[in-house]
Structures are given as C-alpha cells and as structure tokens.
Amino acid sequence: MKLIFATQNQHKRDEVQALLGNSIQILSLADLQFHQELPETHDTLEENALEKAVFISNKFSMDCFSEDTGLEIAALNGAPGVYSARYAGEGKNPEDNIQLVFQQMNEKENRSAQFRTVVCLLLKNEPHFFEGMVAGTITKEQTGVSGFGYDPIFIPEGYDRTFAAMTKEEKNEISHRRRAIDKMSAFLKKQAD
C-alpha cells in the first residue's frame, strides 16, 4: 500500500515510515516534487488536517494523510493550540514562539499543558481521524537541544526532562504523533485483513 504524507518535513516522514514499518510505503511531498506551502486556514487541528489531506489527495489522486499538532496550555485557555507554529507571527520562528509563551506564563502558577496531534487519513475520499496526546508541564527555562518547536520547554508527565533533552528514540516512544500514528496503523491493518 502507498500513502502520501502531506508534509514538507522529511524528518516527520522518516519518523512515520519507521513507525508504520514496511507494509505501507510513505511518500512525502518532496518525493513528489511538490514544494508549495499547504493551506491551514481553520481554527481547529481537525479542520486543518482535513484541509491538507483533501488538497493533496485532489492534486495527486491518491490516498493520503496529514496531521496538525498544537501545544495547548491550560493557563492560556488552550493557546497557542492550532496557532502553535505561527504564535508569535507569520515568520513561524520557534524561538519567538517560545519567548512569547514565557512572557505570557510569567505570573502563572498552573504550568500544565498538553501536546495534541490530529491525523486525518483520506482513504477512498473518506476521512478518518486519529488523535494522540501527551500531558506535561511548561518549564521556566529552555533545556535540551534536540527536537523542534516547543520541545525545549515541555516536560512530559512522568519524566524529569524536556522533549528536547531526550534522544529522538525516547521522544518517539511516547510522543503525541506516535500515539496518533499507532491508531492509524491499527486501523490500516484492520482494513488490510
């Protein structure tokens, strides 16, 4: 089975391919020589994931999936949420985003947060949604150098270090994306039976 993963991020593609194994071949947009920005015009992760999947499925006439991920901070009423990538502006600068979160969290005692990923699989033009979440807390300073986005300021529940202070393998074992992809993988295996 071949599926397009509607992402420009080759690291995400490789991570997901490793999670899905050899029974499903994942094509990234780079594999298809498609380098345009994908549309994300909605206010929910679900709607953005669906919009990207439909856009790419229509363009290439193939089954595909996409994902949208947000960091949801309790003390900020769920922000940055769906706007996580462009929280501090359209430049999508991770450092600016982190500094804005720190600024807004300055006087807040409740530092609980969660990463949430929604995957939309478009199979024969029918959407199927899979969600993965990881609860945790927002730190008061950045630690770690691996990962991307908000990883240096998020400590997952049950751990004493940020995602950015973990190896890629450690993070992948417990990540929100992993949990959503595992659900999609189980669904695809059922379809193949």
Side-chain angles (χ1 to χ4, degrees):
M1 179 180 210
K2 277 188 187 179
L3 282 175
I4 299 174
F5 182 8
T7 183
Q8 297 291 9
N9 186 325
Q10 204 63 24
H11 296 293
K12 278 187 192 178
R13 179 227 166 266
D14 295 344
E15 180 183 307
V16 169
Q17 183 67 72
L19 294 174
L20 290 175
N22 298 327
S23 59
I24 297 162
Q25 185 189 348
I26 302 297
L27 298 170
S28 71
L29 298 179
D31 296 332
L32 299 167
Q33 305 302 312
F34 182 84
H35 302 286
Q36 284 173 247
E37 187 86 9
L38 292 172
E40 286 183 316
T41 61
H42 297 283
D43 296 328
T44 68
L45 299 175
E46 290 80 3
E47 288 172 308
N48 278 343
L50 176 62
E51 179 179 31
K52 290 186 280 191
V54 168
F55 180 80
I56 291 302
S57 177
N58 287 343
K59 184 146 194 69
F60 293 101
S61 301
M62 268 182 77
D63 290 335
C64 81
F65 67 97
S66 79
E67 58 94 39
D68 203 19
T69 296
L71 174 65
E72 299 170 339
I73 301 172
L76 303 181
N77 298 316
V82 73
Y83 305 108
S84 291
R86 55 181 68 86
Y87 195 46
E90 288 304 315
K92 295 184 178 181
N93 183 307
E95 185 58 35
D96 292 348
N97 291 337
I98 285 171
Q99 291 310 317
L100 181 56
V101 165
F102 278 157
Q103 189 184 326
Q104 293 178 333
M105 293 290 289
N106 194 18
E107 301 295 316
K108 311 277 191 213
E109 283 185 38
N110 177 5
R111 301 192 75 83
S112 64
Q114 65 180 16
F115 267 118
R116 189 164 69 93
T117 292
V118 175
V119 171
C120 175
L121 169 67
L122 213 53
L123 217 49
K124 299 180 180 74
N125 291 319
E126 190 180 326
H128 305 273
F129 293 93
F130 309 93
E131 185 178 84
M133 277 187 281
V134 174
T137 55
I138 300 298
T139 60
K140 292 189 175 177
E141 57 189 38
Q142 295 187 55
T143 58
V145 294
S146 64
F148 55 91
Y150 298 94
D151 286 357
I153 65 168
F154 182 84
I155 298 176
E157 218 168 65
Y159 291 80
D160 60 1
R161 59 207 153 109
T162 65
F163 269 158
M166 295 179 175
T167 66
K168 196 164 37 169
E169 293 73 26
E170 287 174 312
K171 180 191 168 188
N172 287 348
E173 274 300 304
I174 59 165
S175 82
H176 39 290
R177 188 171 296 109
R178 165 75 186 258
R179 291 172 181 183
I181 292 296
D182 280 353
K183 290 176 185 176
M184 182 180 84
S185 178
F187 174 81
L188 285 168
K189 282 184 181 124
K190 270 191 201 154
Q191 300 299 303
D193 290 346

